[in-house]
Amino acid sequence: MQHIRRPRKHQLYDPAFEHDACGVGFVAHLKGKAAHKLLPEARQILVNMAHRGAVGAERNSGDGSGILTALPHTLLERVARDELGETLPERGRFAAGIVFLSRDKTERTACETAFAEITAEEGQRFIGWRDVPRDNSMIGPTARASEPVMRQAFIAAGDTVSSEVFERKLYVIRKRLTNKLRGSAVDTNDMFYICSLSTRNIIYKGMLTPEQLFEYFLDLTNERFETHVAMVHSRFSTNTFPSWDRAQPFRFMSHNGEINTLQGNVNKMRAREGVMESDLFGTDLQKIMPVIEPDLSDSGTFDNALELLLQSGRDLPEAVMMMVPEAWHNHRHMPDEGKAMYEFMSAQMEPWDGPASIAFTDGRVIGALLDRNGLRPSRYYVTEDDLVI
């Protein structure tokens, strides 16, 4: 049997002790101007962090690398017209995302059918599938043995929903699909994983080295692929196993470091599920449970919690500051209103603590922060041509 999923607890190995130590970076245009030229810049950042990633016994089987960008509307509109025979709705009224699927045709068909059915049940319109253009000639035997089928899903908003409600419905659709199709796959070779599903951003990632990412995903070198933000990640899976789905970026963040308080954070999130209420979600709230999905790394778990805060109506910077607060108690130079904000946040959520450098984006804004002790130092530059790196 080919190894698709990671092993469960066995002898000295326990997934509870898994950590990452990686490289993370981004480039963005300060004025939000989308252009293809940001992608070669992002590639250079990623390749420069090759030493922060890892490879196996084969030098062409990497721990993982990836890129998160704003949704490339120009490219996707052309793809839908030429490959699907569809004219996409106006921007903000359609979503696209890459899905990892089983190589078994029967399993794959069942997943695709469920995808369309659940989308319809949630009042949205499933447009169609596109095969993601790839070249796997350069990846090693280990990476190829576990390589999933990759297809790009397109969804249109229902006639009666706003863009904000549509984004929230996409979250519900993804969680329902994940609960239905991935929950039973931990002990099998089947793969179902939605990298992203959004009107705002898209993720290309996999069990690749930094040098392989742009050669593997042919979309990334297409001149019609334009973005104003590009976040990249090079993975070093400390004490764990590499896999296609655990490559980063995740849906809103990339992470270098460790969440030392992880088990307590997960337990408290689970404890909250029984008393959660939301006017925005209404009866949909139960569909997104559990908030923290099984079989995730510490970074993936963080991303799950961050996504809930965002979909519940919080701004991205606010949500990240709530999860990773500054050392504010004895901060002599912090204004009183800053301390009051952090004190209020501490009553809502405990810190996700540990050495960390985290970059985050929702496809519109982008930022970064360090842990309260600055144990994973990072630096940034602002250039004369309006780039922040």
Side-chain angles (χ1 to χ4, degrees), residues 23-179:
V24 58
F26 67 73
V27 57
H29 195 278
L30 287 171
K31 297 179 180 177
K33 183 178 179 181
H36 178 73
K37 67 179 182 180
L38 251 69
L39 289 172
E41 300 279 4
R43 182 186 184 280
Q44 189 62 53
I45 293 173
L46 181 60
V47 170
N48 286 348
M49 295 192 301
H51 67 288
R52 293 297 305 163
V55 295
E58 313 142 3
R59 294 189 61 82
N60 54 353
S61 286
D63 266 15
S65 64
I67 184 169
L68 183 157
T69 73
L71 207 64
H73 293 104
T74 303
L75 172 65
L76 296 179
E77 288 162 355
R78 174 62 68 90
V79 162
R81 188 188 72 187
D82 294 350
E83 299 182 28
L84 304 181
E86 292 272 355
T87 299
L88 293 177
E90 63 183 83
R91 297 177 181 183
R93 303 288 296 171
F94 76 88
I98 293 177
V99 183
F100 292 173
L101 295 160
S102 171
R103 293 190 296 201
D104 181 275
K105 185 176 181 180
T106 302
E107 293 289 337
R108 186 166 67 250
T109 300
C111 290
E112 292 172 351
T113 300
F115 206 118
E117 290 175 348
I118 289 177
T119 299
E121 288 171 8
E122 294 299 330
Q124 316 308 310
R125 181 171 67 89
F126 187 80
I127 298 174
W129 292 101
R130 173 209 185 203
D131 292 324
V132 178
R134 294 177 289 159
D135 176 7
N136 67 357
S137 61
M138 81 295 295
I139 67 175
T142 300
R144 188 177 290 113
S146 57
E147 181 184 20
V149 170
M150 295 187 194
R151 305 200 76 192
Q152 198 166 47
F154 290 81
I155 296 177
D159 295 335
T160 61
V161 300
S162 66
S163 295
E164 291 297 325
V165 172
F166 180 43
E167 192 72 24
R168 200 170 297 116
K169 276 294 183 182
L170 294 170
Y171 176 50
V172 173
I173 290 168
R174 203 199 77 236
K175 293 288 282 188
R176 284 189 61 189
L177 283 163
T178 298
N179 289 338

